[in-house]
Amino acid sequence: MKNLENNIEKILFSEYDIEKIVADLAESINADFKNQEIILVGLLKGSVVFMSDLLRKITLPCEIDFMAASSYGSGTTSNGDVKIIKDLTIDIKDKNVIIVEDIIDSGNTLSRVLNILKKKNPKNLRLCSFLSKPDRREVNDIRIDYLGTEIPDEFVVGYGLDFDEKYRNLPYIGILKREIYL
Ligand code: IMP
Ligand code: MG
């Protein structure tokens, strides 16, 4: 992965940092839903690495499902035009649902997905995101119930996050060098 790593400006969260953040998030979810069942809904593809770590720290009876929404193409900024490419396969009516995201940026993707899921009448609909870039928010009514950490307005990759579909396999989260995408 040498060539990928050369394109990283700075590591923001090491594997060790990430493990601790995920453990804290799982602990909150386990406590909030004690003696209940939950469904984790991961948004493809960015959430898969986080989802697989989080899932293994959940001690409640738990199902998983995935949705895919797209707003990006291959650039680094959202255009607000969100398409649902893959819908759920399990019924979430009257269930405790937690959406799992890698990062909330403008919030456009999430607000579209939240509206779709609300119509399916879950008992509870919560949001868990590893990262948030509050400075870039365009949709202001998004409440992140379980947030790993906030980051400044920088383009980051690794731990599932991509640039042009690459870098998802880096085990840490780093800022991508600007010359790679400018
Ligand atoms: P939003 O609709 O603008 O909130 O965009 C959310 C999606 O954009 C995330 O699920 C990511 O896939 C992607 N995204 C936003 N910021 C970054 C970043 O810094 N690195 C990689 N992907 C990002
Ligand atoms: Mg992406």
Side-chain angles (χ1 to χ4, degrees), residues 1-9 157 163 166-170 172 176 180:
M1 276 193 304
K2 195 160 193 304
N3 51 346
L4 287 185
E5 298 193 333
N6 286 342
N7 297 338
I8 303 301
E9 181 74 50
V157 293
F163 170 63
K166 303 271 190 336
Y167 304 93
R168 296 192 197 275
N169 52 327
L170 292 177
Y172 52 80
L176 190 65
I180 306 299

Side-chain angles (χ1 to χ4, degrees), residues 12-161:
L12 285 185
F13 303 101
S14 67
E15 281 186 79
Y16 176 81
D17 299 331
I18 290 170
E19 198 185 319
K20 197 171 173 318
I21 292 169
V22 176
D24 287 347
L25 291 170
E27 198 182 304
S28 302
I29 293 171
N30 288 332
D32 288 358
F33 290 95
K34 198 166 184 228
N35 299 324
Q36 299 182 66
E37 298 186 10
I38 62 168
I39 302 177
L40 298 179
V41 172
L43 299 191
L44 297 172
K45 303 172 200 170
S47 71
V48 291
V49 183
F50 171 41
M51 175 87 147
S52 74
D53 280 349
L54 183 69
L55 177 64
R56 283 174 290 175
K57 293 203 156 54
I58 297 290
T59 51
L60 311 164
C62 175
E63 293 174 41
I64 64 167
D65 205 346
F66 293 94
M67 276 179 83
S70 160
S71 68
Y72 260 59
S74 64
T76 60
T77 49
S78 176
N79 59 14
D81 178 21
V82 178
K83 271 195 242 139
I84 301 298
I85 299 164
K86 184 209 171 297
D87 205 346
L88 296 180
T89 58
I90 53 182
D91 188 7
I92 62 166
K93 188 169 184 296
D94 300 327
K95 301 288 175 78
N96 297 311
V97 175
I98 302 175
I99 301 171
V100 179
E101 251 290 41
D102 51 356
I103 185 166
I104 315 288
D105 186 31
S106 70
N108 287 318
T109 310
L110 236 297
S111 94
R112 183 73 211 288
V113 168
L114 281 168
N115 283 335
I116 290 168
L117 293 186
K118 271 180 204 152
K119 290 194 187 121
K120 297 180 193 262
N121 296 312
K123 180 178 171 196
N124 260 298
L125 184 58
R126 299 214 179 154
L127 172 59
C128 174
S129 182
F130 193 87
L131 297 174
S132 172
K133 287 188 205 168
D135 296 347
R136 292 190 30 103
R137 205 73 90 246
E138 291 169 16
V139 184
N140 286 316
D141 60 347
I142 290 185
R143 193 186 76 216
I144 309 176
D145 304 285
Y146 306 100
L147 174 62
T149 176
E150 292 187 344
I151 58 166
D153 182 10
E154 300 273 9
F155 197 79
V156 294
V157 293
Y159 196 60
L161 291 148

